[in-house]
Amino acid sequence: MTHDLHGRTRRLELSDQALRDFEAVVLDSSPEGVVLDRSAFYPGGGGQPADHGVLIWQGVETRIAGVRKGDDLYLIPAEGDPVPPPGTVVRAAVADARRSALMRTHSGLHVLCGVVFRDYGCPVTGGNMDELSARMDFNLPEVPPGFKEAVEDACNAEIAADRRIDVRVLPRAEAFALPDIIRTATNLVPESVQDVRIVDIVGLDTQADGGTHVASTKQIGRIRVAKVESKGKGFRRLRIQISD
Ligand SMILES: [Zn+2]
């Protein structure tokens, strides 16, 4: 298993999205970043921002304000916080409210993506998210009457259906044999990547994705399509809000 290694850090969140606290050993540290042997901090990517949290060691607290992906995975300490020296065993906690909101939002975007493709045949061209709000861009030449309401209703129907959201890792050749993966990701996954992580909203949407997701669609809550913006020829931006 190499897909869950970034530099020297084993990324625990890729296989355990519910994990919020863990123990680790500091491999390297400076005010610019702390490198651990294992971490559940999502480093950011695929439109999902990085986790925040805290490291506790020898009665000292280091707040983590972000993550930088370089040759190693650098947990960025809050300005002025002391950093644990190499060799230190730390207890780490991922800020739960932020991460859980981002998981609901990310899964909500995949529901939106699945619904718009199924009902309108439109591919996604981009997206971004924050806690409980997000945008997704589609190539949709004409906006049919009632589009906003219809998309919102269809998304909430998929949430009510409580579809399972499965994560699995497939060898590259097998992953790209899945028709949905060809549609969404072929040119986004570098040649060097041999193991492809698949996020599957069973029966609705399958994508190559490195993000963190809730276990089933009901956990998303409610999706409101707040706005449909026209950004140019065929370029539509949908803004959504997630609530309980
Ligand atoms: Zn995603």
Side-chain angles (χ1 to χ4, degrees):
M1 296 285 270
T2 54
H3 76 277
D4 57 354
L5 267 183
H6 185 114
R8 291 172 287 171
T9 308
R10 189 157 299 282
R11 288 182 55 190
L12 307 174
E13 84 285 7
L14 289 174
S15 50
D16 187 355
Q17 303 170 104
L19 186 65
R20 295 292 184 272
D21 52 90
F22 58 96
E23 209 166 80
V25 177
V26 176
L27 300 179
D28 222 326
S29 68
S30 78
E32 283 73 54
V34 178
V35 180
L36 302 178
D37 65 338
R38 54 211 293 273
S39 165
F41 286 86
Y42 184 69
Q48 183 182 335
D51 286 332
H52 296 166
V54 67
L55 308 179
I56 309 281
W57 49 284
Q58 297 161 16
V60 180
E61 183 178 294
T62 307
R63 290 166 298 162
I64 299 302
V67 185
R68 184 171 64 79
K69 289 182 282 186
D71 49 338
D72 267 318
L73 206 61
Y74 297 90
L75 306 182
I76 303 167
E79 209 176 313
D81 277 16
V83 296
T88 308
V89 174
V90 299
R91 296 266 333 143
V94 172
D96 175 62
R98 173 179 168 85
R99 160 69 90 74
S100 294
L102 289 169
M103 284 168 63
R104 289 168 58 198
T105 310
H106 198 159
S107 297
L109 275 182
H110 283 217
V111 166
L112 177 67
C113 172
V115 160
V116 173
F117 184 77
R118 182 196 64 196
D119 297 349
Y120 302 91
C122 305
V124 171
T125 55
N128 212 352
M129 75 197 82
D130 214 323
E131 294 167 54
L132 306 182
S133 71
R135 65 167 172 80
M136 189 158 257
D137 300 336
F138 294 92
N139 183 0
L140 172 62
E142 297 291 335
V143 181
F147 175 73
K148 184 158 112 46
E149 294 72 20
V151 168
E152 180 173 302
D153 289 350
C155 285
N156 288 310
E158 296 304 329
I159 287 171
D162 204 18
R163 291 183 183 274
R164 244 178 38 234
I165 305 180
D166 288 347
V167 173
R168 59 187 185 276
V169 176
L170 294 179
R172 187 185 180 87
E174 225 174 288
F176 288 118
L178 301 170
D180 286 341
I181 302 305
I182 296 167
R183 168 170 67 82
T184 53
T186 311
N187 41 23
L188 298 179
V189 180
E191 279 293 327
S192 59
V193 176
Q194 287 311 308
D195 297 310
V196 180
R197 185 169 177 273
I198 304 289
V199 173
D200 185 13
I201 303 182
V202 177
L204 180 66
D205 182 80
T206 309
Q207 294 188 39
D209 192 275
T212 58
H213 290 266
V214 294
S216 72
T217 57
K218 219 169 224 173
Q219 295 175 24
I220 295 167
R222 265 196 74 77
I223 291 180
R224 189 169 76 87
V225 178
K227 228 176 187 184
V228 178
E229 299 168 1
S230 291
K231 295 295 214 182
K233 199 174 172 338
F235 178 177
R236 317 294 169 187
R237 173 163 291 172
L238 273 66
R239 295 191 182 275
I240 63 167
Q241 304 276 336
I242 308 284
S243 60
D244 290 337

